Amino acid sequence: MMHKKKKSLAAYPFLLPALISIAIVTCIPIIYTIVISFTNYNLYHIEEFSFIGIKNYLEVISGSIRAVFFPVLGWTIVFAALSTLGSYAIGMFLAVLLNNPHMKESKVYRSILIIPWALPATIAILAWQGLLNEQYGGINNLLHTLGLQTAIPWMTDVFWARFGIIMVNLWLGFPYMLNVCLGSLQSISTTYYEAAKIDGATKWQSFRNITFPLVFKVSVPLVVATFASNFNNFGNIYMITEGGPARLESQFAGYTDILASTTYKMTTWSNRYDLAATFSVFVFIIVGVLTLVNMNLSGSFKEAD
């Protein structure tokens, strides 16, 4: 027992640099944000601010900020869910096609389809920003060339702005899901399909009863992690639409703003650090719950000898 305890103590000097880094980069900012959420630290109280208890939380849940928080939360969930499930569906569909042993060009197609994942995200998003421009964007110019005179209002119409954002996210996200599903498909034994074929199962029945359950079981932790990532996908939203079109009833959030971009605007545009910190705490709780779910699904908490 004493020998094991000495071994454990001997490990701490090696862990100390990492622990210090985690404390400085992660723990202290989280604690500071939580503290700020219980104060009135904003543009009017920068030098002299005071603790006001849970007033900010009540303001967000049942006060005037409620009209901003809940619509943005709803859109954030829809955006993350459609982006994640859509990317997974596209990745699964393409993985099943490319996993065909009779397709000799599958490696070429894989190389082409992985390009959105291989490109630097900033460059890809800026390219899409140009394509979605209403006046000189590539998509509207193509539609005009095809004889469609009406340009799609990608930046000014709520539906088309949200549709464009999700379309970009699907394009950026499906290559990752494609690789996840391909790896899972290649681990499935062919004996399952041979047995199903002998029993007279169709290809759809084989997919529904063999392929999908086995692939989804392996990939569900990655799907949950991707949902958490999309929940906080600030870059795609802000770089393409900056949260627009604007909401007339709110200065803090536009119709495509998610919680992360709304928090950013509260901080940099309105200097409402108190409300921004409160929003950050809510985001932290939601993403933290998703992370715990992900760890349970992936078996991270299970001890092994």
Side-chain angles (χ1 to χ4, degrees):
M1 187 72 179
M2 290 295 294
H3 182 66
K4 284 185 177 180
K5 192 173 181 180
K6 286 182 179 179
K7 274 191 172 182
S8 300
L9 292 173
Y12 281 102
F14 298 97
L15 293 172
L16 197 59
L19 294 174
I20 293 173
S21 301
I22 292 170
I24 294 174
V25 177
T26 305
C27 297
I28 293 177
I30 289 173
I31 295 170
Y32 180 73
T33 301
I34 293 172
V35 171
I36 291 298
S37 70
F38 290 100
T39 69
N40 62 347
Y41 184 50
N42 54 42
L43 177 64
Y44 306 104
H45 304 91
I46 290 181
E47 294 183 358
E48 296 180 3
F49 60 91
S50 57
F51 286 91
I52 57 174
I54 61 171
K55 185 177 178 180
N56 289 327
Y57 292 91
L58 296 176
E59 187 77 10
V60 170
I61 295 173
S62 59
S64 59
I65 306 300
R66 178 185 179 184
V68 178
F69 178 74
F70 285 104
V72 172
L73 175 62
W75 161 240
T76 304
I77 294 172
V78 170
F79 165 74
L82 290 179
S83 298
T84 305
L85 296 178
S87 298
Y88 187 77
I90 296 170
M92 171 74 80
F93 174 75
L94 293 172
V96 171
L97 292 179
L98 295 175
N99 197 48
N100 189 343
H102 302 293
M103 186 184 290
K104 297 180 180 179
E105 306 87 357
S106 62
K107 291 183 179 179
V108 178
Y109 295 142
R110 290 180 196 181
S111 301
I112 295 171
L113 290 171
I114 206 174
I115 288 175
W117 194 22
L119 285 173
T122 304
I123 295 174
I125 294 169
L126 290 175
W128 274 104
Q129 184 189 52
L131 288 171
L132 295 174
N133 188 278
E134 293 182 11
Q135 297 179 354
Y136 56 83
I139 295 177
N140 280 348
N141 284 339
L142 176 62
L143 294 175
H144 180 74
T145 303
L146 294 174
L148 300 174
Q149 300 297 324
T150 303
I152 296 177
W154 295 109
M155 301 296 168
T156 54
D157 183 80
V158 177
F159 171 80
W160 286 110
R162 289 179 170 180
F163 181 85
I165 287 291
I166 292 174
M167 180 174 64
V168 173
N169 232 31
L170 292 177
W171 187 82
L172 291 170
F174 85 85
Y176 173 72
M177 292 301 183
L178 169 62
N179 280 274
V180 168
C181 294
L182 269 175
S184 302
L185 282 171
Q186 291 169 1
S187 66
I188 299 175
S189 175
T190 56
T191 56
Y192 294 116
Y193 298 104
E194 291 170 359
K197 191 174 182 181
I198 292 170
D199 290 339
T202 63
K203 289 185 177 180
W204 168 247
Q205 288 173 330
S206 296
F207 172 80
R208 187 181 62 185
N209 298 305
I210 299 173
T211 305
F212 183 76
L214 292 176
V215 171
F216 188 73
K217 184 179 180 181
V218 174
S219 57
V220 67
L222 299 174
V223 172
V224 175
T226 303
F227 179 85
S229 176
N230 283 322
F231 197 89
N232 262 337
N233 200 337
F234 167 80
N236 290 10
I237 299 292
Y238 195 77
M239 292 178 68
I240 294 176
T241 64
E242 290 190 0
R247 292 178 185 266
L248 297 179
E249 69 274 12
S250 172
Q251 61 175 322
F252 298 121
Y255 281 101
T256 57
D257 270 316
I258 59 175
L259 287 174
S261 59
T262 303
T263 302
Y264 174 80
K265 285 183 177 181
M266 282 183 169
T267 305
T268 58
W269 292 17
S270 304
N271 296 322
R272 290 302 305 268
Y273 305 105
D274 48 353
L275 292 178
T278 308
F279 270 52
S280 298
V281 172
F282 281 114
V283 172
F284 176 75
I285 292 170
I286 295 169
V287 175
V289 170
L290 290 172
T291 302
L292 288 174
V293 171
N294 187 28
M295 287 182 172
N296 281 319
L297 290 173
S298 61
S300 299
F301 292 136
K302 293 180 180 178
E303 296 184 2
D305 293 332

